[in-house]
Structures are given as C-alpha cells and as structure tokens.
Amino acid sequence: NVILEVVNEYMHRGFEHPTLRSDASVADLIRLAKERYPGLLVTASHVRNGKISARVGTASDLIIVHYNSLTLSEIADSVRAIRRAFPGKPILCNEDQRV
C-alpha cells in the first residue's frame, strides 16, 4: 500500500512558498494528485498537533495527524473530533514523540 502525503506539516514556518502555507492550496495539491493518480491515497499533515483543516480533510482520502505534544486524553479528544468532522475516513498518526 502507498500513501502520498503531498506536504508534511503544511503551514510550518520553514516553508517559504505560499502554496505550502495555505489550506486552500494544499487541498488543491491533494485534488491534483488524486486526478493524476486516481488509485493512490493522497493526504497532507498539518503542523498543529492533532488538527486538520476542513478543506484539507475533505480533499484527503485519509487523515494524517501528529500527536507530538498532546496528552493521551487530548489524543482521544482529537480522534473523536476528527471522526465527527470526517466520518468514515481512516486516521493515521505518523508522529508521536512517545513512540
């Protein structure tokens, strides 16, 4: 299985290009990748821990989140919020400093 994460931690202050700092632009990148490679799962992760914007989450095939500085109870709250906002979409944590 392959997942394309078009941007890891979009809106990170290290990104200078405006495309990588905008919810709308990142959602457009996801849609472009999905059009070009329809069989590929496509997503992006946000710099904020446990957060995803509505635009990026809606455009994504799955939700990738980072839980580096959240407590275990905050992670549970985040998962519940993501499930409510994006029902049926898989949630993948690919960053957690405890692991």
Side-chain angles (χ1 to χ4, degrees), residues 60-71:
S60 296
D61 293 311
L62 69 149
I63 307 301
I64 291 184
V65 290
H66 299 163
Y67 289 133
N68 291 319
S69 65
L70 271 62
T71 66

Side-chain angles (χ1 to χ4, degrees), residues 4-18:
L4 172 61
E5 184 179 10
V6 296
V7 184
N8 179 58
E9 295 189 349
Y10 70 92
M11 288 195 178
H12 188 280
R13 65 178 174 247
F15 290 130
E16 294 180 14
H17 198 285

Side-chain angles (χ1 to χ4, degrees), residues 1 24 36 40 43 56 70 72 75 89:
N1 295 320
R36 182 78 167 103
L40 194 60
T43 190
V56 172
L70 271 62
L72 293 178
I75 291 171
K89 290 198 179 185

Side-chain angles (χ1 to χ4, degrees), residues 41 52 59:
L41 298 174
I52 187 89

Side-chain angles (χ1 to χ4, degrees), residues 24-98:
S25 295
V26 171
D28 288 343
L29 286 175
I30 292 168
R31 283 190 285 276
L32 179 64
K34 289 170 61 170
E35 287 172 11
R36 182 78 167 103
Y37 302 100
L40 194 60
L41 298 174
V42 184
T43 190
S45 63
H46 194 283
V47 72
R48 294 180 292 184
N49 288 322
K51 305 291 182 182
I52 187 89
S53 78
R55 282 183 170 169
V56 172
T58 299
S60 296
D61 293 311
L62 69 149
I63 307 301
I64 291 184
V65 290
H66 299 163
Y67 289 133
N68 291 319
S69 65
L70 271 62
T71 66
L72 293 178
S73 64
E74 290 171 326
I75 291 171
D77 292 342
S78 170
V79 170
R80 281 190 290 275
I82 291 168
R83 284 183 176 157
R84 277 192 307 273
F86 309 105
K89 290 198 179 185
I91 303 167
L92 169 69
C93 172
N94 69 347
E95 280 190 31
D96 185 336
Q97 62 192 14
R98 288 169 287 250

